[in-house]
Structure formats: structure tokens, C-alpha cells
Amino acid sequence: MLGVIDLPTYLAGLVLIVLLPGPNSLYVLSVAARRGVRTGYTAAAGVWCGDTVLMTLSAAGVASLLQANAVLFSIVKYAGAGYLTWLAIGMLRAARAMWRARREPVAESAETEEAAGERPFRRALVISLFNPKAILFFVAFFVQFVDPGYAYPALSFVVLGAFAQLASVLYLTALIFSGTRLASAFRRRKRLSAGATTAAGALFLGFAVKLTLASA
């Protein structure tokens, strides 16, 4: 099928990979919980665009360049880790403010100001792009299912990428609607909201550390 071999195995592995928690899915879930379905999809669009760029770079051989150039890999790796750390610090600061104000009514103007300062699409896009391990993963995973004798390997990558994006759309859609259900609980219980934000910040710190320790 268009140079793709062993499609059932690819789809099974893809489902398992998509379901693994990561900074992209966690960010989309948190945005949907805080700001609703529409903004959740805005963040998800940033993830899909970032993944498309990574798939294109992988097909073009950029992943091989990162593997061969340790300095370049380190630059991208630490830049990504630094960005995730910055996001984590912001979440933890917000959580601390929530803990302090948990017995006070939330001012509408404060919520509006916070929402105006966040750019979900851009933030999700940067989270996706600043992850060299994702580029290496795409090429290492995709190449196993491309027929080396097929005359148009780029078409094979397009087919594999389309399936990957479809899986991502279904998964992130489920997270977005789950997040909106969580939002009502967060608004009623400020302790729960503060605790969830603290956990998200801690997870992002964990992602940053994991990326820092990654090797090409």
C-alpha cells in the first residue's frame, strides 16, 4: 500500500505511542480545563502543526543530522528543556497564587488578564518543536514501515504521517472534552484546581529533566 509495509503493526504501535503521556497532551488538557473547548482546539492545532513539521524534517533527513552532530543535538535538547522548565515555573507560581487565594472569590478581570497573556497555539507549537527526541522517534519508527524498494518513499511518509495525525486528533479531542468536564470541578473546588496545577508544573519539570538526560 503506497510503499507502507506491515500496516496493522504500525497502527498498533501508533496507538500505544499516542496514549503515552507527554508535555503536548498535558498542555492541551490543561488549556481545555482552564479556557474551554475552543481554546483547547487552538492549542491542539499547535501540536498538530508542530508534529507535521517534525515529520517533514524526519523525512528530509534532519533526524540523521541530529544523530550525527552531538553539538547540534545538545543545543536543541537544552533549549527544549529550558522552555519546559520555564512553563513549569509559571504553572507552579500560578498554583502558589491559587493556594493563597483559595478562600477568596476569583476576580473576573484577573482571569481575563491571564487568558489574554497566554498564546496557546504558539506555546503548544514550541513545545512540539523543541523536542529532538520526537524527531529521532519519528524517523526511527516510520522507517521500519517504509518499503526500501518503493519508488516514492516521500509518499509513504505522507501515508504514515496521516495515520499519526488522525490518531492525534482523536486522542486530543478526547482530552479536550475531558478537560472541560474537569473545569467545572476546578471552579467549585479551588484546592483541587491548585493541586492539579501544582501536579502539572511538577510533570513539566519531569519532562524537562528527562529531555536533558536524553542522548542522540
Side-chain angles (χ1 to χ4, degrees), residues 59-85:
V62 173
S64 300
L65 177 62
L66 283 176
Q67 284 180 312
N69 192 321
V71 174
L72 180 60
F73 180 84
S74 296
I75 290 174
V76 178
K77 177 177 70 173
Y78 288 116
Y83 186 71
L84 290 178
T85 301

mmCIF file with all atom_site columns, all heavy atoms in Angstrom, residues 59-85:
data_model
loop_
_atom_site.group_PDB
_atom_site.id
_atom_site.type_symbol
_atom_site.label_atom_id
_atom_site.label_alt_id
_atom_site.label_comp_id
_atom_site.label_asym_id
_atom_site.label_entity_id
_atom_site.label_seq_id
_atom_site.pdbx_PDB_ins_code
_atom_site.Cartn_x
_atom_site.Cartn_y
_atom_site.Cartn_z
_atom_site.occupancy
_atom_site.B_iso_or_equiv
_atom_site.pdbx_formal_charge
_atom_site.auth_seq_id
_atom_site.auth_comp_id
_atom_site.auth_asym_id
_atom_site.auth_atom_id
_atom_site.pdbx_PDB_model_num
ATOM 1   N N   . ALA A 1 59 ? 11.498 13.101 7.426  1.00 0.00 ? 59 ALA A N   1
ATOM 2   C CA  . ALA A 1 59 ? 11.533 12.585 6.055  1.00 0.00 ? 59 ALA A CA  1
ATOM 3   C C   . ALA A 1 59 ? 12.666 13.213 5.257  1.00 0.00 ? 59 ALA A C   1
ATOM 4   O O   . ALA A 1 59 ? 13.228 12.582 4.357  1.00 0.00 ? 59 ALA A O   1
ATOM 5   C CB  . ALA A 1 59 ? 10.196 12.858 5.369  1.00 0.00 ? 59 ALA A CB  1
ATOM 6   N N   . ALA A 1 60 ? 13.030 14.451 5.602  1.00 0.00 ? 60 ALA A N   1
ATOM 7   C CA  . ALA A 1 60 ? 14.102 15.144 4.886  1.00 0.00 ? 60 ALA A CA  1
ATOM 8   C C   . ALA A 1 60 ? 15.488 14.768 5.395  1.00 0.00 ? 60 ALA A C   1
ATOM 9   O O   . ALA A 1 60 ? 16.494 15.229 4.845  1.00 0.00 ? 60 ALA A O   1
ATOM 10  C CB  . ALA A 1 60 ? 13.907 16.651 4.994  1.00 0.00 ? 60 ALA A CB  1
ATOM 11  N N   . GLY A 1 61 ? 15.552 13.987 6.459  1.00 0.00 ? 61 GLY A N   1
ATOM 12  C CA  . GLY A 1 61 ? 16.846 13.535 6.952  1.00 0.00 ? 61 GLY A CA  1
ATOM 13  C C   . GLY A 1 61 ? 17.439 14.365 8.069  1.00 0.00 ? 61 GLY A C   1
ATOM 14  O O   . GLY A 1 61 ? 18.595 14.161 8.443  1.00 0.00 ? 61 GLY A O   1
ATOM 15  N N   . VAL A 1 62 ? 16.675 15.301 8.628  1.00 0.00 ? 62 VAL A N   1
ATOM 16  C CA  . VAL A 1 62 ? 17.205 16.143 9.707  1.00 0.00 ? 62 VAL A CA  1
ATOM 17  C C   . VAL A 1 62 ? 17.502 15.314 10.951 1.00 0.00 ? 62 VAL A C   1
ATOM 18  O O   . VAL A 1 62 ? 18.446 15.597 11.690 1.00 0.00 ? 62 VAL A O   1
ATOM 19  C CB  . VAL A 1 62 ? 16.214 17.280 10.030 1.00 0.00 ? 62 VAL A CB  1
ATOM 20  C CG1 . VAL A 1 62 ? 16.666 18.073 11.258 1.00 0.00 ? 62 VAL A CG1 1
ATOM 21  C CG2 . VAL A 1 62 ? 16.073 18.201 8.827  1.00 0.00 ? 62 VAL A CG2 1
ATOM 22  N N   . ALA A 1 63 ? 16.708 14.279 11.180 1.00 0.00 ? 63 ALA A N   1
ATOM 23  C CA  . ALA A 1 63 ? 16.949 13.432 12.352 1.00 0.00 ? 63 ALA A CA  1
ATOM 24  C C   . ALA A 1 63 ? 18.330 12.784 12.276 1.00 0.00 ? 63 ALA A C   1
ATOM 25  O O   . ALA A 1 63 ? 19.028 12.679 13.281 1.00 0.00 ? 63 ALA A O   1
ATOM 26  C CB  . ALA A 1 63 ? 15.872 12.358 12.440 1.00 0.00 ? 63 ALA A CB  1
ATOM 27  N N   . SER A 1 64 ? 18.716 12.367 11.073 1.00 0.00 ? 64 SER A N   1
ATOM 28  C CA  . SER A 1 64 ? 20.048 11.772 10.917 1.00 0.00 ? 64 SER A CA  1
ATOM 29  C C   . SER A 1 64 ? 21.140 12.793 11.214 1.00 0.00 ? 64 SER A C   1
ATOM 30  O O   . SER A 1 64 ? 22.185 12.463 11.792 1.00 0.00 ? 64 SER A O   1
ATOM 31  C CB  . SER A 1 64 ? 20.210 11.233 9.490  1.00 0.00 ? 64 SER A CB  1
ATOM 32  O OG  . SER A 1 64 ? 19.240 10.242 9.220  1.00 0.00 ? 64 SER A OG  1
ATOM 33  N N   . LEU A 1 65 ? 20.880 14.048 10.830 1.00 0.00 ? 65 LEU A N   1
ATOM 34  C CA  . LEU A 1 65 ? 21.846 15.110 11.115 1.00 0.00 ? 65 LEU A CA  1
ATOM 35  C C   . LEU A 1 65 ? 21.995 15.326 12.617 1.00 0.00 ? 65 LEU A C   1
ATOM 36  O O   . LEU A 1 65 ? 23.106 15.494 13.133 1.00 0.00 ? 65 LEU A O   1
ATOM 37  C CB  . LEU A 1 65 ? 21.407 16.413 10.436 1.00 0.00 ? 65 LEU A CB  1
ATOM 38  C CG  . LEU A 1 65 ? 22.266 17.656 10.696 1.00 0.00 ? 65 LEU A CG  1
ATOM 39  C CD1 . LEU A 1 65 ? 23.679 17.436 10.173 1.00 0.00 ? 65 LEU A CD1 1
ATOM 40  C CD2 . LEU A 1 65 ? 21.638 18.880 10.032 1.00 0.00 ? 65 LEU A CD2 1
ATOM 41  N N   . LEU A 1 66 ? 20.872 15.318 13.339 1.00 0.00 ? 66 LEU A N   1
ATOM 42  C CA  . LEU A 1 66 ? 20.935 15.466 14.786 1.00 0.00 ? 66 LEU A CA  1
ATOM 43  C C   . LEU A 1 66 ? 21.685 14.310 15.439 1.00 0.00 ? 66 LEU A C   1
ATOM 44  O O   . LEU A 1 66 ? 22.444 14.496 16.386 1.00 0.00 ? 66 LEU A O   1
ATOM 45  C CB  . LEU A 1 66 ? 19.516 15.551 15.368 1.00 0.00 ? 66 LEU A CB  1
ATOM 46  C CG  . LEU A 1 66 ? 18.782 16.882 15.219 1.00 0.00 ? 66 LEU A CG  1
ATOM 47  C CD1 . LEU A 1 66 ? 17.376 16.768 15.763 1.00 0.00 ? 66 LEU A CD1 1
ATOM 48  C CD2 . LEU A 1 66 ? 19.532 18.006 15.900 1.00 0.00 ? 66 LEU A CD2 1
ATOM 49  N N   . GLN A 1 67 ? 21.455 13.107 14.919 1.00 0.00 ? 67 GLN A N   1
ATOM 50  C CA  . GLN A 1 67 ? 22.145 11.947 15.468 1.00 0.00 ? 67 GLN A CA  1
ATOM 51  C C   . GLN A 1 67 ? 23.648 12.035 15.247 1.00 0.00 ? 67 GLN A C   1
ATOM 52  O O   . GLN A 1 67 ? 24.442 11.628 16.089 1.00 0.00 ? 67 GLN A O   1
ATOM 53  C CB  . GLN A 1 67 ? 21.609 10.663 14.834 1.00 0.00 ? 67 GLN A CB  1
ATOM 54  C CG  . GLN A 1 67 ? 20.245 10.247 15.366 1.00 0.00 ? 67 GLN A CG  1
ATOM 55  C CD  . GLN A 1 67 ? 19.752 8.966  14.721 1.00 0.00 ? 67 GLN A CD  1
ATOM 56  O OE1 . GLN A 1 67 ? 19.787 8.832  13.500 1.00 0.00 ? 67 GLN A OE1 1
ATOM 57  N NE2 . GLN A 1 67 ? 19.312 8.027  15.524 1.00 0.00 ? 67 GLN A NE2 1
ATOM 58  N N   . ALA A 1 68 ? 24.038 12.596 14.112 1.00 0.00 ? 68 ALA A N   1
ATOM 59  C CA  . ALA A 1 68 ? 25.458 12.642 13.764 1.00 0.00 ? 68 ALA A CA  1
ATOM 60  C C   . ALA A 1 68 ? 26.187 13.828 14.405 1.00 0.00 ? 68 ALA A C   1
ATOM 61  O O   . ALA A 1 68 ? 27.405 13.794 14.574 1.00 0.00 ? 68 ALA A O   1
ATOM 62  C CB  . ALA A 1 68 ? 25.625 12.708 12.242 1.00 0.00 ? 68 ALA A CB  1
ATOM 63  N N   . ASN A 1 69 ? 25.462 14.863 14.755 1.00 0.00 ? 69 ASN A N   1
ATOM 64  C CA  . ASN A 1 69 ? 26.080 16.082 15.284 1.00 0.00 ? 69 ASN A CA  1
ATOM 65  C C   . ASN A 1 69 ? 25.684 16.254 16.751 1.00 0.00 ? 69 ASN A C   1
ATOM 66  O O   . ASN A 1 69 ? 24.593 16.712 17.067 1.00 0.00 ? 69 ASN A O   1
ATOM 67  C CB  . ASN A 1 69 ? 25.633 17.291 14.456 1.00 0.00 ? 69 ASN A CB  1
ATOM 68  C CG  . ASN A 1 69 ? 26.450 18.535 14.770 1.00 0.00 ? 69 ASN A CG  1
ATOM 69  O OD1 . ASN A 1 69 ? 26.803 18.792 15.910 1.00 0.00 ? 69 ASN A OD1 1
ATOM 70  N ND2 . ASN A 1 69 ? 26.748 19.313 13.732 1.00 0.00 ? 69 ASN A ND2 1
ATOM 71  N N   . ALA A 1 70 ? 26.575 15.890 17.636 1.00 0.00 ? 70 ALA A N   1
ATOM 72  C CA  . ALA A 1 70 ? 26.280 15.929 19.067 1.00 0.00 ? 70 ALA A CA  1
ATOM 73  C C   . ALA A 1 70 ? 26.059 17.359 19.566 1.00 0.00 ? 70 ALA A C   1
ATOM 74  O O   . ALA A 1 70 ? 25.217 17.598 20.437 1.00 0.00 ? 70 ALA A O   1
ATOM 75  C CB  . ALA A 1 70 ? 27.418 15.279 19.851 1.00 0.00 ? 70 ALA A CB  1
ATOM 76  N N   . VAL A 1 71 ? 26.804 18.318 19.007 1.00 0.00 ? 71 VAL A N   1
ATOM 77  C CA  . VAL A 1 71 ? 26.670 19.708 19.453 1.00 0.00 ? 71 VAL A CA  1
ATOM 78  C C   . VAL A 1 71 ? 25.295 20.255 19.083 1.00 0.00 ? 71 VAL A C   1
ATOM 79  O O   . VAL A 1 71 ? 24.613 20.881 19.909 1.00 0.00 ? 71 VAL A O   1
ATOM 80  C CB  . VAL A 1 71 ? 27.774 20.583 18.831 1.00 0.00 ? 71 VAL A CB  1
ATOM 81  C CG1 . VAL A 1 71 ? 27.545 22.056 19.178 1.00 0.00 ? 71 VAL A CG1 1
ATOM 82  C CG2 . VAL A 1 71 ? 29.139 20.136 19.310 1.00 0.00 ? 71 VAL A CG2 1
ATOM 83  N N   . LEU A 1 72 ? 24.876 20.002 17.845 1.00 0.00 ? 72 LEU A N   1
ATOM 84  C CA  . LEU A 1 72 ? 23.566 20.475 17.398 1.00 0.00 ? 72 LEU A CA  1
ATOM 85  C C   . LEU A 1 72 ? 22.454 19.832 18.215 1.00 0.00 ? 72 LEU A C   1
ATOM 86  O O   . LEU A 1 72 ? 21.498 20.490 18.619 1.00 0.00 ? 72 LEU A O   1
ATOM 87  C CB  . LEU A 1 72 ? 23.384 20.161 15.911 1.00 0.00 ? 72 LEU A CB  1
ATOM 88  C CG  . LEU A 1 72 ? 22.062 20.603 15.284 1.00 0.00 ? 72 LEU A CG  1
ATOM 89  C CD1 . LEU A 1 72 ? 21.885 22.110 15.400 1.00 0.00 ? 72 LEU A CD1 1
ATOM 90  C CD2 . LEU A 1 72 ? 22.003 20.175 13.815 1.00 0.00 ? 72 LEU A CD2 1
ATOM 91  N N   . PHE A 1 73 ? 22.588 18.546 18.473 1.00 0.00 ? 73 PHE A N   1
ATOM 92  C CA  . PHE A 1 73 ? 21.580 17.846 19.275 1.00 0.00 ? 73 PHE A CA  1
ATOM 93  C C   . PHE A 1 73 ? 21.493 18.449 20.671 1.00 0.00 ? 73 PHE A C   1
ATOM 94  O O   . PHE A 1 73 ? 20.403 18.664 21.208 1.00 0.00 ? 73 PHE A O   1
ATOM 95  C CB  . PHE A 1 73 ? 21.925 16.360 19.366 1.00 0.00 ? 73 PHE A CB  1
ATOM 96  C CG  . PHE A 1 73 ? 20.940 15.558 20.173 1.00 0.00 ? 73 PHE A CG  1
ATOM 97  C CD1 . PHE A 1 73 ? 19.770 15.076 19.596 1.00 0.00 ? 73 PHE A CD1 1
ATOM 98  C CD2 . PHE A 1 73 ? 21.160 15.287 21.512 1.00 0.00 ? 73 PHE A CD2 1
ATOM 99  C CE1 . PHE A 1 73 ? 18.851 14.342 20.324 1.00 0.00 ? 73 PHE A CE1 1
ATOM 100 C CE2 . PHE A 1 73 ? 20.257 14.563 22.265 1.00 0.00 ? 73 PHE A CE2 1
ATOM 101 C CZ  . PHE A 1 73 ? 19.099 14.083 21.663 1.00 0.00 ? 73 PHE A CZ  1
ATOM 102 N N   . SER A 1 74 ? 22.650 18.743 21.270 1.00 0.00 ? 74 SER A N   1
ATOM 103 C CA  . SER A 1 74 ? 22.666 19.311 22.620 1.00 0.00 ? 74 SER A CA  1
ATOM 104 C C   . SER A 1 74 ? 22.016 20.687 22.656 1.00 0.00 ? 74 SER A C   1
ATOM 105 O O   . SER A 1 74 ? 21.297 21.026 23.601 1.00 0.00 ? 74 SER A O   1
ATOM 106 C CB  . SER A 1 74 ? 24.108 19.403 23.128 1.00 0.00 ? 74 SER A CB  1
ATOM 107 O OG  . SER A 1 74 ? 24.673 18.118 23.265 1.00 0.00 ? 74 SER A OG  1
ATOM 108 N N   . ILE A 1 75 ? 22.253 21.498 21.619 1.00 0.00 ? 75 ILE A N   1
ATOM 109 C CA  . ILE A 1 75 ? 21.667 22.838 21.576 1.00 0.00 ? 75 ILE A CA  1
ATOM 110 C C   . ILE A 1 75 ? 20.138 22.754 21.562 1.00 0.00 ? 75 ILE A C   1
ATOM 111 O O   . ILE A 1 75 ? 19.451 23.419 22.344 1.00 0.00 ? 75 ILE A O   1
ATOM 112 C CB  . ILE A 1 75 ? 22.165 23.605 20.330 1.00 0.00 ? 75 ILE A CB  1
ATOM 113 C CG1 . ILE A 1 75 ? 23.651 23.941 20.487 1.00 0.00 ? 75 ILE A CG1 1
ATOM 114 C CG2 . ILE A 1 75 ? 21.357 24.888 20.131 1.00 0.00 ? 75 ILE A CG2 1
ATOM 115 C CD1 . ILE A 1 75 ? 24.268 24.559 19.251 1.00 0.00 ? 75 ILE A CD1 1
ATOM 116 N N   . VAL A 1 76 ? 19.611 21.908 20.667 1.00 0.00 ? 76 VAL A N   1
ATOM 117 C CA  . VAL A 1 76 ? 18.156 21.764 20.577 1.00 0.00 ? 76 VAL A CA  1
ATOM 118 C C   . VAL A 1 76 ? 17.601 21.158 21.864 1.00 0.00 ? 76 VAL A C   1
ATOM 119 O O   . VAL A 1 76 ? 16.551 21.564 22.375 1.00 0.00 ? 76 VAL A O   1
ATOM 120 C CB  . VAL A 1 76 ? 17.789 20.899 19.361 1.00 0.00 ? 76 VAL A CB  1
ATOM 121 C CG1 . VAL A 1 76 ? 16.278 20.698 19.291 1.00 0.00 ? 76 VAL A CG1 1
ATOM 122 C CG2 . VAL A 1 76 ? 18.299 21.540 18.083 1.00 0.00 ? 76 VAL A CG2 1
ATOM 123 N N   . LYS A 1 77 ? 18.313 20.172 22.408 1.00 0.00 ? 77 LYS A N   1
ATOM 124 C CA  . LYS A 1 77 ? 17.853 19.484 23.613 1.00 0.00 ? 77 LYS A CA  1
ATOM 125 C C   . LYS A 1 77 ? 17.745 20.441 24.799 1.00 0.00 ? 77 LYS A C   1
ATOM 126 O O   . LYS A 1 77 ? 16.702 20.483 25.481 1.00 0.00 ? 77 LYS A O   1
ATOM 127 C CB  . LYS A 1 77 ? 18.824 18.347 23.946 1.00 0.00 ? 77 LYS A CB  1
ATOM 128 C CG  . LYS A 1 77 ? 18.469 17.606 25.234 1.00 0.00 ? 77 LYS A CG  1
ATOM 129 C CD  . LYS A 1 77 ? 19.415 16.448 25.474 1.00 0.00 ? 77 LYS A CD  1
ATOM 130 C CE  . LYS A 1 77 ? 20.807 16.931 25.847 1.00 0.00 ? 77 LYS A CE  1
ATOM 131 N NZ  . LYS A 1 77 ? 21.678 15.792 26.254 1.00 0.00 ? 77 LYS A NZ  1
ATOM 132 N N   . TYR A 1 78 ? 18.796 21.230 25.048 1.00 0.00 ? 78 TYR A N   1
ATOM 133 C CA  . TYR A 1 78 ? 18.775 22.113 26.216 1.00 0.00 ? 78 TYR A CA  1
ATOM 134 C C   . TYR A 1 78 ? 17.829 23.294 26.016 1.00 0.00 ? 78 TYR A C   1
ATOM 135 O O   . TYR A 1 78 ? 17.255 23.812 26.990 1.00 0.00 ? 78 TYR A O   1
ATOM 136 C CB  . TYR A 1 78 ? 20.183 22.594 26.542 1.00 0.00 ? 78 TYR A CB  1
ATOM 137 C CG  . TYR A 1 78 ? 21.048 21.501 27.126 1.00 0.00 ? 78 TYR A CG  1
ATOM 138 C CD1 . TYR A 1 78 ? 22.182 21.037 26.462 1.00 0.00 ? 78 TYR A CD1 1
ATOM 139 C CD2 . TYR A 1 78 ? 20.715 20.905 28.337 1.00 0.00 ? 78 TYR A CD2 1
ATOM 140 C CE1 . TYR A 1 78 ? 22.966 20.018 26.989 1.00 0.00 ? 78 TYR A CE1 1
ATOM 141 C CE2 . TYR A 1 78 ? 21.481 19.883 28.871 1.00 0.00 ? 78 TYR A CE2 1
ATOM 142 C CZ  . TYR A 1 78 ? 22.606 19.447 28.190 1.00 0.00 ? 78 TYR A CZ  1
ATOM 143 O OH  . TYR A 1 78 ? 23.369 18.428 28.713 1.00 0.00 ? 78 TYR A OH  1
ATOM 144 N N   . ALA A 1 79 ? 17.661 23.732 24.772 1.00 0.00 ? 79 ALA A N   1
ATOM 145 C CA  . ALA A 1 79 ? 16.682 24.786 24.518 1.00 0.00 ? 79 ALA A CA  1
ATOM 146 C C   . ALA A 1 79 ? 15.278 24.284 24.834 1.00 0.00 ? 79 ALA A C   1
ATOM 147 O O   . ALA A 1 79 ? 14.474 24.987 25.464 1.00 0.00 ? 79 ALA A O   1
ATOM 148 C CB  . ALA A 1 79 ? 16.762 25.243 23.061 1.00 0.00 ? 79 ALA A CB  1
ATOM 149 N N   . GLY A 1 80 ? 14.979 23.059 24.416 1.00 0.00 ? 80 GLY A N   1
ATOM 150 C CA  . GLY A 1 80 ? 13.677 22.479 24.724 1.00 0.00 ? 80 GLY A CA  1
ATOM 151 C C   . GLY A 1 80 ? 13.476 22.279 26.212 1.00 0.00 ? 80 GLY A C   1
ATOM 152 O O   . GLY A 1 80 ? 12.403 22.567 26.753 1.00 0.00 ? 80 GLY A O   1
ATOM 153 N N   . ALA A 1 81 ? 14.504 21.788 26.899 1.00 0.00 ? 81 ALA A N   1
ATOM 154 C CA  . ALA A 1 81 ? 14.413 21.577 28.343 1.00 0.00 ? 81 ALA A CA  1
ATOM 155 C C   . ALA A 1 81 ? 14.216 22.905 29.074 1.00 0.00 ? 81 ALA A C   1
ATOM 156 O O   . ALA A 1 81 ? 13.442 22.992 30.038 1.00 0.00 ? 81 ALA A O   1
ATOM 157 C CB  . ALA A 1 81 ? 15.663 20.866 28.850 1.00 0.00 ? 81 ALA A CB  1
ATOM 158 N N   . GLY A 1 82 ? 14.906 23.928 28.599 1.00 0.00 ? 82 GLY A N   1
ATOM 159 C CA  . GLY A 1 82 ? 14.761 25.242 29.216 1.00 0.00 ? 82 GLY A CA  1
ATOM 160 C C   . GLY A 1 82 ? 13.354 25.801 29.059 1.00 0.00 ? 82 GLY A C   1
ATOM 161 O O   . GLY A 1 82 ? 12.798 26.384 29.995 1.00 0.00 ? 82 GLY A O   1
ATOM 162 N N   . TYR A 1 83 ? 12.767 25.597 27.892 1.00 0.00 ? 83 TYR A N   1
ATOM 163 C CA  . TYR A 1 83 ? 11.414 26.089 27.664 1.00 0.00 ? 83 TYR A CA  1
ATOM 164 C C   . TYR A 1 83 ? 10.403 25.350 28.539 1.00 0.00 ? 83 TYR A C   1
ATOM 165 O O   . TYR A 1 83 ? 9.505  25.963 29.126 1.00 0.00 ? 83 TYR A O   1
ATOM 166 C CB  . TYR A 1 83 ? 11.050 25.933 26.190 1.00 0.00 ? 83 TYR A CB  1
ATOM 167 C CG  . TYR A 1 83 ? 9.718  26.555 25.828 1.00 0.00 ? 83 TYR A CG  1
ATOM 168 C CD1 . TYR A 1 83 ? 9.576  27.943 25.797 1.00 0.00 ? 83 TYR A CD1 1
ATOM 169 C CD2 . TYR A 1 83 ? 8.606  25.773 25.534 1.00 0.00 ? 83 TYR A CD2 1
ATOM 170 C CE1 . TYR A 1 83 ? 8.357  28.528 25.480 1.00 0.00 ? 83 TYR A CE1 1
ATOM 171 C CE2 . TYR A 1 83 ? 7.384  26.348 25.218 1.00 0.00 ? 83 TYR A CE2 1
ATOM 172 C CZ  . TYR A 1 83 ? 7.271  27.728 25.186 1.00 0.00 ? 83 TYR A CZ  1
ATOM 173 O OH  . TYR A 1 83 ? 6.056  28.301 24.885 1.00 0.00 ? 83 TYR A OH  1
ATOM 174 N N   . LEU A 1 84 ? 10.555 24.040 28.647 1.00 0.00 ? 84 LEU A N   1
ATOM 175 C CA  . LEU A 1 84 ? 9.657  23.275 29.508 1.00 0.00 ? 84 LEU A CA  1
ATOM 176 C C   . LEU A 1 84 ? 9.801  23.696 30.971 1.00 0.00 ? 84 LEU A C   1
ATOM 177 O O   . LEU A 1 84 ? 8.819  23.763 31.715 1.00 0.00 ? 84 LEU A O   1
ATOM 178 C CB  . LEU A 1 84 ? 9.956  21.776 29.364 1.00 0.00 ? 84 LEU A CB  1
ATOM 179 C CG  . LEU A 1 84 ? 9.572  21.132 28.027 1.00 0.00 ? 84 LEU A CG  1
ATOM 180 C CD1 . LEU A 1 84 ? 9.980  19.658 28.010 1.00 0.00 ? 84 LEU A CD1 1
ATOM 181 C CD2 . LEU A 1 84 ? 8.087  21.275 27.753 1.00 0.00 ? 84 LEU A CD2 1
ATOM 182 N N   . THR A 1 85 ? 11.027 23.995 31.386 1.00 0.00 ? 85 THR A N   1
ATOM 183 C CA  . THR A 1 85 ? 11.261 24.454 32.753 1.00 0.00 ? 85 THR A CA  1
ATOM 184 C C   . THR A 1 85 ? 10.578 25.796 32.997 1.00 0.00 ? 85 THR A C   1
ATOM 185 O O   . THR A 1 85 ? 9.966  26.019 34.050 1.00 0.00 ? 85 THR A O   1
ATOM 186 C CB  . THR A 1 85 ? 12.761 24.580 33.028 1.00 0.00 ? 85 THR A CB  1
ATOM 187 O OG1 . THR A 1 85 ? 13.396 23.312 32.827 1.00 0.00 ? 85 THR A OG1 1
ATOM 188 C CG2 . THR A 1 85 ? 13.029 25.059 34.446 1.00 0.00 ? 85 THR A CG2 1
#
